[in-house]
């Protein structure tokens, strides 16, 4: 069976799938997505069906997990081995430009959509650095910008943003306290409160 798994689509899954028997006694091959952030990693292919060689479910999974752009680029590879070399670069950087680099193109932003966790992290950074209210994630204009083209894009609730910011603050405060306690020298502190929004 493995000798026939040469299409580029197999590059998005671990190179060693497992052969299993389900509770109903049906024999199947389990392909596991190689994306670390993937939550539904398994794609099951039953061997007792007429479409046991179909890659349709694998393609659906890759589109939702990796994105249509990288799948389209991988389809241009001659086989899974060549495509796997390309996807390994994509997994490290999250950038399709790095994975399929052409010329000296400068990479600025990732072409990969943020995961839910990454979205929460970026929103915490944004509202903290730019002094935005937590409720901005429910702003009509912001939602329009974020969801146009991707209507199912995850945006956290304002209470989730508030909880995340407080948690990051508490952890950062503990980390800074530990750094100061480890310091053996005198520390000069200067705080500019003149331009602080709370005066």
């Amino acid at each position: 069976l493995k000798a026939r798994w040469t299409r580029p689509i197999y590059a998005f899954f671990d190179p060693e799938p497992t052969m299993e028997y389900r509770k109903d006694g049906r024999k199947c091959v389990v392909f596991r997505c190689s994306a670390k952030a993937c939550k539904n990693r398994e794609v099951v292919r039953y061997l007792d069906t007429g479409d046991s060689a179909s890659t349709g479910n694998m393609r659906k999974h890759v589109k939702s997990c990796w994105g249509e752009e990288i799948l389209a680029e991988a389809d241009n590879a001659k086989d899974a081995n060549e495509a796997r070399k390309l996807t390994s670069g994509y997994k490290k950087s999250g950038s399709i430009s790095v994975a399929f680099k052409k010329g000296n193109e400068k990479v600025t932003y990732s072409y990969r959509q943020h995961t839910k966790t990454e979205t929460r992290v970026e929103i915490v950074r944004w509202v903290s650095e730019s002094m935005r209210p937590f409720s901005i994630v429910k702003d009509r204009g912001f939602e329009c910008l974020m969801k146009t083209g991707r209507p199912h894009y995850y945006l956290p609730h304002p209470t989730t943003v508030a909880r995340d910011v407080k948690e990051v603050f508490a952890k950062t405060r503990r980390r800074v306290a530990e750094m100061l306690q480890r310091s053996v020298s005198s520390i000069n502190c200067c705080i500019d409160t003149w331009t602080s929004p709370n005066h």
Side-chain angles (χ1 to χ4, degrees), residues 26-130:
R26 298 178 68 191
K27 190 175 184 180
C28 64
V29 181
V30 179
F31 296 92
R32 289 179 176 82
C33 180
S34 58
K36 292 181 180 179
C38 181
K39 292 184 178 179
N40 302 310
R41 293 194 66 198
E42 294 186 353
V43 175
V44 179
R45 180 187 292 172
Y46 289 97
L47 299 178
D48 59 355
T49 61
D51 60 349
S52 60
S54 173
T55 59
N57 287 338
M58 299 175 86
R59 294 186 69 84
K60 287 179 183 177
H61 178 88
V62 171
K63 282 182 182 179
S64 63
C65 185
W66 294 73
E68 294 185 16
E69 296 92 347
I70 190 171
L71 176 59
E73 288 288 345
D75 283 339
N76 294 327
K78 67 177 182 179
D79 57 25
N81 290 331
E82 182 179 311
R84 191 167 279 117
K85 293 176 184 176
L86 302 174
T87 56
S88 62
Y90 176 80
K91 282 190 291 185
K92 291 177 183 176
S93 66
S95 169
I96 195 171
S97 296
V98 170
F100 306 102
K101 193 171 182 181
K102 297 177 181 178
N104 295 321
E105 180 181 1
K106 184 179 179 181
V107 178
T108 306
Y109 296 104
S110 171
Y111 283 74
R112 178 178 55 82
Q113 183 176 337
H114 284 137
T115 63
K116 286 187 177 182
T117 302
E118 290 170 339
T119 296
R120 289 171 62 181
V121 168
E122 288 301 325
I123 287 179
V124 165
R125 171 179 282 178
W126 176 49
V127 299
S128 300
E129 291 180 350
S130 302

Side-chain angles (χ1 to χ4, degrees), residues 149-187:
R150 293 185 184 271
H152 301 294
Y153 185 77
Y154 166 77
L155 287 176
H157 192 272
T159 55
T160 302
V161 177
R163 185 173 62 247
D164 289 344
V165 169
K166 290 174 184 176
E167 184 177 346
V168 169
F169 172 77
K171 290 182 178 179
T172 303
R173 181 171 55 184
R174 285 197 299 269
R175 189 168 71 246
V176 171
E178 290 171 1
M179 291 168 58
L180 293 175
Q181 289 170 358
R182 288 197 302 266
S183 176
V184 294
S185 61
S186 299
I187 299 173

